[in-house]
Amino acid sequence: METTAFQKIYTKITQITKATCSLKAEGVGNEEIATVNGKLAQVVKIQGDTVTLQIFSGTEGIPTNAEVVFMGKAPTIKVSDELAGRFFNAYGDPIDGGPSVEGKEIEIGGPSVNPVRRQQPSELIPTGIAGIDLNNTLVTGQKIPFFADPDQPFNQVMAMVALRAKADKIILGGMGLSNDDYLFFKHIFENAGALDRIISFINTTENPPVERLLVPDMALTTAEYFAHEKHQKVLVLLTDMTLYADALSIVSNRMDQIPSKDSMPGSLYSDLAKLYEKAVQFPEGGSITIIAVATLSGGDITHAIPDNTGYITEGQLFLRRDTDIGKVIIDPFRSLSRLKQLVIGKQTREDHPQVMNAAIRLFADAANAKTKLENGFDLNDYDERTLKYAKEYSRELLAIDINIEIDAMLDTGWRLFAKYFNKSEIGIKEALVAKYWPKN
Amino acid sequence: MATKGKVTGIIANMVVIEADGPVSQNEICFIRHKGVDLMAEVIKVLGNKAFTQVFESTRGLKVGTEAEFKDHMLEVTLGPGILSKNYDGLQNDLNKMKGVFLKKGEYTEALDPDAEWDFTPIAKAGDKVEAGSWLGEVTEGWMPHKIMLPFKFEGQFIVKSVALKGKYRTKDTVAVVTDEKGKDHNVTMMQKWPVKIPIRAYKEKPRPFKIMETGVRTIDTLNPLAEGGTGFIPGPFGCGKTVLQHAVSQQAEADMIIVTACGERANEVVEIFTEFPELEDPRTGRKLMERTTIICNTSNMPVAAREASVYTGMTLAEYYRSMGLKVLLLADSTSRWAQALREMSNRMEELPGPDAFPMDLPAIISNFYSRAGSVYLNNGATGSITFLGTVSPAGGNLKEPVTESTKKAARCFYALNQERADSKRYPAIDPIDSYSKYLEYPEIQEYLKKTIAPDWVEKVTLAKDILLRGKEASEQINILGDDGVPIDYHERYWKAEVLDFVILQQDAFDKIDKSTPFERQEFMLDEVLKVYNMKYKFTSFEEINPFFKAVINIFKQMNYSEFKSEKFNNYLQQLNNKLNERKAV
Ligand SMILES: Nc1ncnc2c1ncn2[C@@H]1O[C@H](COP(=O)(O)OP(=O)(O)OP(=O)(O)O)[C@@H](O)[C@H]1O
Ligand SMILES: [Mg+2]
C-alpha cells in the first residue's frame, strides 16, 4: 500500500509482544489498520496516547524503530463483478497471478441487517444427499456447519454440496487450509466449469495463523455485496472455523485476556455469531447461505468451539464413518437442520416430516438393539428387524455418496418400513400410511 | 450544567471517559463520534475516569472525542403504543429505522408521538393518588391500557383535574395533580423509567396461587408453571429451548406476551415477525401479534445492548402488570446476557469467578428473577408477571455457573435432555429431573383440585411414579436382558412408554397436537391411567412390545385429531377394543 499525505507515520515502538506492538500515536481510530515495516496491523486497544496494534503476520523481526503507517480506515475490500473467478489471500490481494481488482471500496465486518428487514428463509437447497435433503434439509439464508473429525472428507462433501446448490456465487473462505486441500478446491471447481461463479479467500497452513482472522469477514463482506446489491444467491463456504477460533485464542492470550472454557476467549460466542449471522435472506431475493466446517477432536462436541458454534448456527451436519456399511454417513442423531420445518412437507411431499422422524426413530431402536447385543443379550424379533433395517437405511439413505431426488428418498423410506415393519410399528398418521404404504 | 468528558481509552466496546464533573454509576452518556451520538452506560467509576460500555460498535472512535453525561440511567419510555412493537434491546423501534442495515447511533422513538388515543377518565378531581394510580384508560389495540400517575412521582397527590373523554395524543396533558406542597404537576400518557430499578407501585406480592396454562402437556400436567411464577429451561444446543418457548408464547393463557430475544439468532425472531401476525390466539381469536411485543437484540447486535434487553423486557412487563394484566415474559437466552456481563467484567479486569463469569452473577440473576410475581395493586386489582427464561449451558453441562445460579432463583426447572432430543422425543424435557416447586404449594394444590379435578394432584404424582418405575424397569432390562427379568418389568416399562409417548411427547409443528387445553390434558391423562391400571394377560415378554406399540399408535392418532370429534371418538373406540384383546378377566 502506498502512503499518502493524510497518513500518519511513526518510528518509535515502545513495546513488542508475539502478536502485538504498542507505540505512542495521536488521532488514531479504534480498529484502524496500519502497516508496521510493511506488515498489516490493526488497532486493538487505545489507552491515552498509547496505541496497541495486532500484527496479523506476527511480530518476528520487527525493530523498535520500524516504520508505522496508519491508514485512517478499517480493513477494506474492493468489490465488483471482477471478483468472480479469482483467488485472493486473507488481505484480499490476488494470489492467482491476475491483476488487482477495481471496484467500490467497502469496510469489512460492517453493520448487521436490521432484523425486521430480513425475510424468513424459504427456499429449499437440494443437494441429492439424503442425509441432508431428507433428514436435515437446507434452506437459503441458513448457516450450518459440518462437524467432523479431521480425518473425515468434509471438504469433499462441502464442495459437492456447493456445486449442486445452484448458487449464483460461491465464496470460499479457507482458513489454515492445507495446500493440497486448496488445490483440491481449485481443481474441483475448475473441472465443474464453475470457476466463473467462485471467489476464494485463502489462508493456507503456510501463512501466519493470525491472518486467518480476516478471511471470514473478507468472504462475507463480498457475499453481502452480491446478495444485497446484486440480489444474487450466494453460498459462503468457511473451512475450517476451528482454526479460525484457534487464531482468536492466540490473539486474546497474547493480549492477556482471561480465558474461559478450553482457553478460548470469553467473547467467542459473540465473535462467531457476528460472522454466522451474516447469513440472511433479503426480501429482494438475494441471500447469503453459510456452510462451514468446524473440525472436532475425537468427536467431542462439548469443546468450546463446536459448542459455541452449535448455539449459533441453525443446526449442524455430523459426519461419521458407519462401520456396519463401511461408508461415511451423515449421522441422523447428532445432525439437525433447524430451518427444515420451513420447507419440509410444504415444498416437499406432505409425508416428508413423518417419514423422516419415523425412519430416525427406528434407527434409534436399532442402536438400542445393538447395545443389547454388545452386552451379550438375546435379541427379540423386533430387534433383529431393526438391525437389518438400520443397515439398509444407512446404505441407501444416510451415506454421503447418495444422489437422488427427495421423492425417491421418501419412497425408499416407505419401502424400508414395509419391508421390515408393520403399519402400527412406525407411528405415522393413518391418512399418510393409507396413501403411501407400498401396495404389494 | 451537564457533566462533559473526553475519551481517553478504548478496548473493544469499553470506553474510558475522563469527566469534568460528577457522574453516577449506570448513568447514560453520549459519545459524539463523527457527528453521531453513541450511547454508553457508566459501569465503573475510578477517580474522574468513567468506564463505560458503549451500545454500539466503537470502530473508528478516537481518544479526545467529546462525551456528554445525561444525568439519568438507561430508561424506557412507557405509554400506549408499546403493544405489537418490535424493539431492539434499548427500546428503539426497529420498524422506524431506515435502510436494510442497522446504522450506528440511529435511535428511534419507542412510542408514536402523533398517535391519537381514545381516553376515558377513571380518576376524578379530589381523588387521592400515588405513583401507579389509574387516572384514565385508553384502548391500545384491544387492550384497556391504563394511564397511571408516573412511577417517578413520590408521595401523595390530589387530582386537580382529569381530561374529559376524548381523543388525545401521547404527549398531551391528560391530568393535573397537586403534590403535598401544593404544587401542580401535569401528567401525560407518557413516562420514563430506569430499567434496572424495579417498579414497586403495588401493595403486596403474594405467593403464586394459580396455574398458567401453556398448552404444553409435559409442563401443565407434570410440572405446571404458576401465574406470576418463574421457570427456566436449560438445555444443550438444538434440544428445543426456542421451539418450546415459541410454543408457550403462542398458547399461554396471558393477556400480553413480551418475547425477549437476547443474543440469539435473527432468523428465530423473523419467524415470529412472519408468523405472529397470521396465527390466532386460540382463546380470543385475535392475531397473536396483537398481544405480543418483541424485544430483539440478536447475537450480532452490540453486546452491551444485549444485557439491557432483558431489563427492558422486564420493565415493560412491570408497566403492564401495574395495569392489572397477566403478562408472560420470555427471554431466550439468559446465558447470552450472562456472557455479556462476563465480556465487560473481563475488559474491566475484575477478579473473575467460576468460568470467568463475574463474582456477583448469582446475585444479579436472582435480583432479576425476583422482579416477576403476582401483585395486589394499590387499588386491589391483581396483575402478574410470569417469567420463563432459557439457559444455554456451556458444553450442555448443568453444573456451570449460569445454570446453577438460575436454579437458585427460578421455581420451575425444565431440563432438556440430549438423549430425548436425539431420539426426537420432543419436547425433550426430562420428566424425572425436572420439577415445579409450585406443585408443593398448598394454595396451588387447592387451585388444581378446584379447577381441574379433586384428585388431580394424586394423579400427577402417580404419573411421575409411573415414569420413575418405568425408568428403573428399563435399567434392569438393560442389565439383565429381556428374559432375565420378570415379565411385569416389561409391562412396567411399556406403561411408562405409553405415558411418555402420549402425554409428554407433543408435536410442536402439528396444528392440533401443538396446543392442548387443560380439559383435554385431563381427559388424556385419565385414559393413560386407565391403561396403566388395567390388568393384562401376557404369556411372554415378546407379546408386550407389539401390544403397547399398537396402543401408543392409536393414542397418537387421537393426539392428532380434533378433541372429541368423530375421528377422535373412533380412535377411542379402537383403543378400547385393543385393550380388551389383552384384558385379564
Ligand atoms: N416440540 C418439538 N417438536 C418437533 N421438533 C422439535 C421440537 N422441539 C425442538 N424440535 C427440533 O429441534 C430443533 C432445535 O430446537 P431449538 O431451536 O428450540 O433448540 P434450542 O435448544 O433453542 O437450541 P439453541 O440453544 O442452539 O438455540 C428444532 O429446529 C426442531 O427441528
Ligand atoms: Mg434456541
Side-chain angles (χ1 to χ4, degrees):
Chain A
M1 269 169 258
E2 285 167 41
T3 53
T4 68
F6 301 108
Q7 292 165 339
K8 302 182 198 74
I9 303 178
Y10 295 86
T11 52
K12 200 163 181 306
I13 293 177
T14 52
Q15 194 190 4
I16 306 177
T17 70
K18 272 187 186 164
T20 65
C21 65
S22 306
L23 69 156
K24 292 206 184 313
E26 278 173 6
V28 173
N30 193 29
E31 295 181 20
E32 179 172 336
I33 46 169
T35 55
V36 180
N37 255 16
K39 291 180 167 192
L40 194 72
Q42 185 171 22
V43 175
V44 288
K45 188 167 161 182
I46 308 175
Q47 257 170 332
D49 56 1
T50 303
V51 174
T52 303
L53 289 160
Q54 162 184 314
I55 319 278
F56 288 104
S57 56
T59 51
E60 292 87 348
I62 288 183
T64 49
N65 64 350
E67 188 182 68
V68 182
V69 184
F70 289 95
M71 303 290 173
K73 61 182 185 191
T76 57
I77 179 169
K78 284 187 179 156
V79 288
S80 71
D81 282 333
E82 286 178 29
L83 287 165
R86 302 292 310 275
F87 287 81
F88 305 94
N89 65 12
Y91 306 118
D93 298 327
I95 52 170
D96 52 7
S100 54
V101 168
E102 287 311 313
K104 186 166 74 167
E105 184 173 14
I106 46 179
E107 287 192 359
I108 65 168
S112 313
V113 173
N114 182 344
V116 301
R117 303 279 179 260
R118 283 172 177 256
Q119 177 109 335
Q120 189 168 37
S122 60
E123 199 180 320
L124 189 152
I125 304 178
T127 69
I129 302 171
I132 296 177
D133 295 2
L134 177 65
N135 292 342
N136 301 290
T137 327
L138 301 184
V139 183
T140 54
Q142 183 165 13
K143 46 194 176 288
I144 192 164
F146 281 100
F147 281 173
D149 280 339
D151 59 341
Q152 298 297 330
F154 45 82
N155 282 336
Q156 284 78 343
V157 183
M158 194 161 80
M160 202 150 73
V161 169
L163 288 172
R164 289 183 196 164
K166 301 196 182 86
D168 297 320
K169 287 278 176 317
I170 299 170
I171 301 179
L172 172 66
M175 290 153 279
L177 218 52
S178 73
N179 198 49
D180 296 356
D181 281 342
Y182 164 50
L183 294 176
F184 160 79
F185 276 113
K186 214 170 161 178
H187 289 151
I188 195 165
F189 291 152
E190 249 164 22
N191 289 346
L195 262 192
D196 56 330
R197 293 193 281 138
I198 295 182
I199 303 164
S200 306
F201 297 90
I202 304 288
N203 155 278
T204 67
T205 41
E206 287 160 21
N207 307 126
V210 178
E211 280 181 13
R212 280 172 213 161
L213 295 179
L214 291 166
V215 168
D217 275 329
M218 285 285 172
L220 291 163
T221 304
T222 307
E224 256 170 5
Y225 166 72
F226 286 106
H228 176 53
E229 294 190 20
K230 304 265 162 172
H231 311 312
Q232 295 190 353
K233 265 193 270 177
V234 184
L235 183 63
V236 177
L237 312 177
L238 299 174
T239 175
D240 166 358
M241 288 299 284
T242 297
L243 298 179
Y244 172 84
D246 285 342
L248 278 179
S249 80
I250 294 175
V251 173
S252 82
N253 289 353
R254 285 177 188 165
M255 288 183 58
D256 299 325
Q257 283 169 11
I258 308 157
S260 61
K261 197 167 169 278
D262 299 318
S263 27
M264 284 292 142
S267 58
L268 181 65
Y269 177 83
S270 304
D271 295 338
L272 293 177
K274 240 199 224 132
L275 303 176
Y276 282 116
E277 280 293 328
K278 291 277 179 193
V280 62
Q281 174 79 54
F282 289 110
E284 299 83 9
S287 64
I288 300 175
T289 308
I290 302 178
I291 300 185
V293 168
T295 47
L296 308 177
S297 151
D300 178 15
I301 56 162
T302 64
H303 182 281
I305 298 172
D307 187 49
N308 278 285
T309 305
Y311 275 121
I312 293 162
T313 53
E314 283 146 348
Q316 65 279 339
L317 299 167
F318 199 100
L319 291 185
R320 90 174 151 85
R321 175 163 275 285
D322 183 347
T323 47
D324 287 340
I325 61 160
K327 284 184 175 181
V328 176
I329 61 165
I330 296 184
D331 188 324
F333 301 144
R334 306 173 83 182
S335 304
L336 174 72
S337 160
R338 294 161 194 248
L339 300 188
K340 62 173 183 272
Q341 47 260 20
L342 297 173
V343 293
I344 61 172
K346 295 173 185 157
Q347 288 170 36
T348 63
R349 225 165 65 187
E350 56 178 340
D351 55 328
H352 188 155
Q354 296 230 343
V355 171
M356 165 190 84
N357 280 328
I360 295 175
R361 221 178 298 121
L362 295 167
F363 196 62
D365 286 349
N368 290 338
K370 219 162 159 193
T371 316
K372 244 162 121 181
L373 197 64
E374 279 157 10
N375 294 344
F377 298 125
D378 293 341
L379 297 184
N380 59 33
D381 161 60
Y382 179 77
D383 295 332
E384 302 277 5
R385 286 185 284 135
T386 57
L387 284 181
K388 282 192 212 130
Y389 157 81
K391 247 192 182 156
E392 214 166 320
Y393 175 61
S394 193
R395 192 178 318 114
E396 294 198 27
L397 288 172
L398 297 181
I400 53 167
D401 56 4
I402 305 291
N403 186 8
I404 51 176
E405 301 276 309
I406 295 180
D407 279 2
M409 297 171 192
L410 295 170
D411 293 340
T412 307
W414 285 108
R415 184 165 53 73
L416 297 182
F417 295 159
K419 186 164 170 191
Y420 295 107
F421 304 101
N422 57 48
K423 291 177 185 172
S424 70
E425 282 171 328
I426 59 167
I428 291 184
K429 256 192 225 172
E430 229 158 57
L432 294 175
V433 175
K435 192 158 163 195
Y436 294 104
W437 190 266
K439 292 293 178 287
N440 35 35
Chain B
M1 219 190 67
T3 301
K4 294 214 160 68
K6 276 199 165 63
V7 172
T8 62
I10 308 161
I11 308 169
N13 74 330
M14 186 182 80
V15 170
V16 186
I17 300 170
E18 220 167 74
D20 69 0
V23 292
S24 50
Q25 176 72 337
N26 296 110
E27 184 169 347
I28 291 296
C29 68
F30 284 95
I31 302 167
R32 190 135 195 94
H33 168 63
K34 292 187 183 159
V36 184
D37 283 329
L38 306 183
M39 193 174 178
E41 180 188 18
V42 177
I43 48 175
K44 179 167 110 176
V45 183
L46 212 71
N48 64 348
K49 284 203 170 97
F51 290 71
T52 66
Q53 55 174 349
V54 184
F55 295 115
E56 301 284 351
S57 151
T58 55
R59 181 181 274 187
L61 188 63
K62 297 179 179 179
V63 295
T65 305
E66 294 192 354
E68 188 172 315
F69 291 83
K70 289 290 167 194
D71 201 25
H72 65 75
M73 295 198 269
L74 180 63
E75 291 181 326
V76 286
T77 308
L78 303 172
I82 291 172
L83 198 61
S84 308
K85 282 254 170 32
N86 304 317
Y87 290 126
D88 74 1
L90 304 173
Q91 210 201 7
N92 291 298
D93 185 342
L94 287 168
N95 291 80
K96 286 189 191 128
M97 295 188 172
K98 300 203 173 59
V100 169
F101 293 92
L102 295 170
K103 272 194 272 315
K104 208 146 82 167
E106 182 178 13
Y107 304 114
T108 55
E109 266 188 286
L111 302 182
D112 311 320
D114 295 325
E116 283 197 331
W117 302 96
D118 269 317
F119 178 84
T120 312
I122 294 177
K124 53 187 187 313
D127 283 359
K128 270 202 194 127
V129 290
E130 60 194 315
S133 291
W134 301 350
L135 304 176
E137 184 177 298
V138 300
T139 310
E140 182 183 16
W142 58 274
M143 191 190 277
H145 182 120
K146 304 288 186 289
I147 305 301
M148 294 172 269
L149 190 67
F151 304 120
K152 280 185 181 169
F153 280 42
E154 280 172 41
Q156 295 287 328
F157 296 80
I158 307 279
V159 177
K160 188 171 177 190
S161 65
V162 182
L164 298 176
K165 191 170 164 53
K167 280 196 193 308
Y168 299 89
R169 280 176 315 170
T170 320
K171 284 183 184 165
D172 290 343
T173 298
V174 289
V176 180
V177 296
T178 313
D179 67 20
E180 281 150 276
K181 294 195 187 102
K183 192 170 168 240
D184 286 351
H185 302 263
N186 289 347
V187 177
T188 69
M189 294 194 225
M190 202 171 107
Q191 56 167 316
K192 297 208 171 211
W193 185 258
V195 295
K196 290 203 176 147
I197 311 236
I199 295 175
R200 289 195 211 277
Y202 53 80
K203 195 161 56 199
E204 197 192 334
K205 210 175 200 179
R207 297 212 317 174
F209 51 89
K210 272 187 191 170
I211 292 301
M212 168 169 280
E213 183 183 304
T214 67
V216 178
R217 295 189 289 265
T218 178
I219 293 182
D220 292 351
T221 296
L222 282 196
N223 292 304
L225 180 61
E227 183 186 318
T230 53
F232 80 115
I233 310 167
F237 64 80
C239 284
K241 297 180 291 296
T242 306
V243 170
L244 187 59
Q245 267 209 347
H246 282 196
V248 171
S249 71
Q250 292 180 16
Q251 297 145 203
E253 188 194 358
D255 298 320
M256 185 195 189
I257 315 252
I258 300 176
V259 180
T260 313
C262 170
E264 291 286 307
R265 304 172 185 85
N267 276 341
E268 291 171 347
V269 198
V270 175
E271 191 177 318
I272 305 183
F273 293 152
T274 316
E275 291 175 3
F276 274 34
E278 307 295 327
L279 291 174
E280 267 175 23
D281 175 353
R283 282 179 200 80
T284 61
R286 283 187 212 96
K287 296 290 181 254
L288 282 175
M289 203 58 217
E290 294 177 56
R291 64 161 194 182
T292 310
T293 293
I294 298 166
I295 294 164
C296 159
N297 215 92
T298 55
S299 57
N300 54 342
M301 288 161 82
V303 174
R306 199 191 286 171
E307 189 217 341
S309 68
V310 292
Y311 288 100
T312 298
M314 183 56 90
T315 311
L316 297 188
E318 286 173 334
Y319 175 59
Y320 280 90
R321 174 174 67 184
S322 308
M323 299 177 202
L325 294 170
K326 257 193 273 183
V327 185
L328 173 64
L329 176 64
L330 302 169
D332 185 15
S333 147
T334 59
S335 291
R336 306 299 163 221
W337 155 43
Q339 285 178 338
L341 294 173
R342 173 167 75 183
E343 285 184 29
M344 282 326 288
S345 153
N346 292 358
R347 275 179 204 130
M348 291 195 299
E349 294 172 1
E350 288 177 350
L351 198 62
D355 287 359
F357 281 106
M359 286 297 230
D360 54 351
L361 182 72
I364 295 173
I365 290 178
S366 66
N367 269 336
F368 183 80
Y369 272 79
S370 71
R371 289 173 70 169
S374 296
V375 297
Y376 290 117
L377 301 172
N378 291 324
N379 63 4
T382 57
S384 64
I385 298 174
T386 311
F387 178 65
L388 185 62
T390 66
V391 167
S392 317
N397 171 13
L398 298 189
K399 295 237 158 0
E400 57 87 48
V402 186
T403 315
E404 290 202 318
S405 310
T406 312
K407 212 167 174 180
K408 287 180 203 140
R411 311 246 79 195
C412 291
F413 173 65
Y414 302 113
L416 300 189
N417 176 314
Q418 180 84 58
E419 276 156 43
R420 282 186 74 84
D422 285 348
S423 53
K424 316 279 175 215
R425 292 180 180 229
Y426 293 122
I429 296 178
D430 187 315
I432 290 166
D433 291 349
S434 303
Y435 58 77
S436 161
K437 293 262 191 222
Y438 299 115
L439 269 183
E440 298 157 15
Y441 286 25
E443 48 275 60
I444 293 280
Q445 294 187 348
E446 237 3 86
Y447 177 85
L448 289 170
K449 281 180 196 164
K450 242 185 17 231
T451 54
I452 304 180
D455 55 351
W456 179 251
V457 179
E458 286 82 57
K459 282 181 188 162
V460 171
T461 315
L462 174 61
K464 291 187 170 193
D465 286 345
I466 296 172
L467 290 166
L468 197 56
R469 296 178 58 198
K471 189 179 173 197
E472 286 162 4
S474 120
E475 279 161 7
Q476 289 298 310
I477 297 170
N478 283 338
I479 297 170
L480 301 170
D482 279 337
D483 41 12
V485 294
I487 178 167
D488 56 294
Y489 277 53
H490 288 274
E491 209 178 304
R492 218 179 286 162
Y493 166 68
W494 275 102
K495 283 174 171 173
E497 286 287 277
V498 173
L499 192 102
D500 190 334
F501 273 89
V502 180
I503 305 289
L504 306 188
Q505 294 176 43
Q506 190 170 359
D507 188 344
F509 303 114
D510 183 83
K511 257 205 320 279
I512 292 170
D513 196 29
K514 71 178 184 186
S515 173
T516 312
F518 251 118
E519 189 199 353
R520 182 169 178 159
Q521 296 194 30
E522 189 200 353
F523 183 90
M524 292 309 283
L525 184 63
D526 280 345
E527 286 306 315
V528 168
L529 291 181
K530 249 189 239 163
V531 172
Y532 173 77
N533 286 321
M534 206 154 127
K535 298 266 172 296
Y536 304 92
K537 51 172 196 295
F538 291 113
T539 50
S540 81
F541 73 84
E542 272 140 341
E543 293 168 1
I544 296 181
N545 168 330
F547 173 74
F548 282 106
K549 279 230 161 114
V551 168
I552 288 172
N553 188 38
I554 302 171
F555 263 126
K556 285 198 87 161
Q557 310 299 334
M558 284 171 76
N559 277 346
Y560 286 129
S561 314
E562 205 84 57
F563 188 42
K564 297 201 166 153
S565 63
E566 199 185 319
K567 228 163 101 191
F568 182 91
N569 292 334
N570 283 344
Y571 286 123
L572 190 59
Q573 188 55 47
Q574 258 186 49
L575 177 68
N576 288 327
N577 297 345
K578 187 81 207 168
L579 292 173
N580 285 332
E581 283 174 18
R582 287 283 173 185
K583 192 171 178 180
V585 273

